[in-house]
Amino acid sequence: MKKALRWAGWLAIAAAGAFLALQLSYLARVWWWRDHDPGMTAFMEARLEQMRREDPHARLRHAWVPYGRISASLKRAVVVAEDSRFVDHDGFDWEAIEKAREKNVKRGRIVAGGSTISQQLAKNLFLSASRTPWRKGEEALITVMIEQAMDKRRILEIYLNVIEWGDGVFGAEAAARHYFGVSAAALGPEASARLAAMVPNPRFYDRHRSTRWLERRTRTILARMPQAELP
């Protein structure tokens, strides 16, 4: 019995050490990315692996552009669509989370998440698309790291450069070229609103670009864009 307890204690210590080492590795990368642009994210790697199962030569479309070369219209559209309190919260919009919880309870399934841009960035950089309790807990820890290490402008800059916007399309520059044949800097209000409307399900809307919901959502975002606060 004593031997089993000792083994359990050592296993617990080892698990705690591994957990701490993992968190420190995340923190080190977050701190590095304050001043250095990320390359491949966890989401990019997962998507590329999936694509290469069908085509070994598949490549992602992605090109980094600095904050100043991303249209202000796109910044406004994404903030309005994804996280209207972005500049004010500390990484978590508790009001949006509560509303999402109530909606999910009412529907009896997960139909809303209430995630902020900071939370979505944490997931994109390091994690998977799963909704397990472990993943949500890890997402929360990384979100705190991101909010402590980076200012809001840098968070938004990275987010706009790494999120998925179509089938193998990542970041604002690749999305602007893919859908409109222009640079991210040249996107106007209507094109920006449409791209923001696509964010929740980009691969679907890459294939179905004129659905009734997408048209309605685009108009709603366009109308709200003047209200957006940018960092």
Side-chain angles (χ1 to χ4, degrees), residues 142-218:
I142 298 170
T143 298
V144 172
M145 296 177 197
I146 288 171
E147 284 280 339
Q148 292 300 311
M150 302 178 186
D151 60 28
K152 293 288 188 176
R153 178 186 170 110
R154 181 59 173 167
I155 293 171
L156 184 58
E157 178 183 36
I158 297 176
Y159 179 79
L160 291 171
N161 271 288
V162 302
I163 59 170
E164 187 175 21
W165 243 310
D167 192 8
V169 179
F170 285 82
E173 182 69 14
R177 301 284 181 186
H178 179 62
Y179 293 106
F180 302 106
V182 300
S183 68
L187 288 167
E190 291 188 14
S192 296
R194 180 168 291 272
L195 285 179
M198 297 172 69
V199 169
N201 201 352
R203 275 179 264 164
F204 176 84
Y205 292 117
D206 192 355
R207 299 188 302 271
H208 306 89
R209 302 188 186 187
S210 299
T211 70
R212 186 175 300 175
W213 185 93
L214 186 61
E215 297 295 337
R216 185 169 61 249
R217 181 63 174 157
T218 297

Side-chain angles (χ1 to χ4, degrees), residues 128-137:
S128 71
S130 68
R131 291 178 177 268
T132 63
W134 177 89
R135 204 273 292 162
K136 292 299 292 183

Side-chain angles (χ1 to χ4, degrees), residues 85-97:
R85 297 183 181 87
F86 174 63
V87 299
D88 298 318
H89 63 62
D90 59 357
F92 306 94
D93 185 342
W94 300 109
E95 183 178 333
I97 290 171

Side-chain angles (χ1 to χ4, degrees), residues 70-85:
I70 300 174
S71 164
S73 292
L74 183 61
K75 296 168 191 170
R76 291 182 180 280
V78 169
V79 167
V80 162
E82 295 296 300
D83 187 0
S84 60
R85 297 183 181 87

Side-chain angles (χ1 to χ4, degrees), residues 102-127:
E102 291 173 357
K103 186 179 293 186
N104 293 336
V105 169
K106 186 176 180 180
R107 297 284 186 88
R109 59 190 176 89
I110 296 176
V111 296
S115 293
T116 63
I117 284 174
S118 302
Q119 288 175 275
Q120 292 179 50
L121 180 59
K123 180 174 65 176
N124 272 265
L125 288 173
F126 295 108
L127 305 173

Side-chain angles (χ1 to χ4, degrees), residues 21-33:
L22 180 62
Q23 305 315 308
L24 289 174
S25 75
Y26 288 154
L27 180 59
R29 279 178 281 176
V30 168
W31 202 263
W32 175 257
W33 288 333

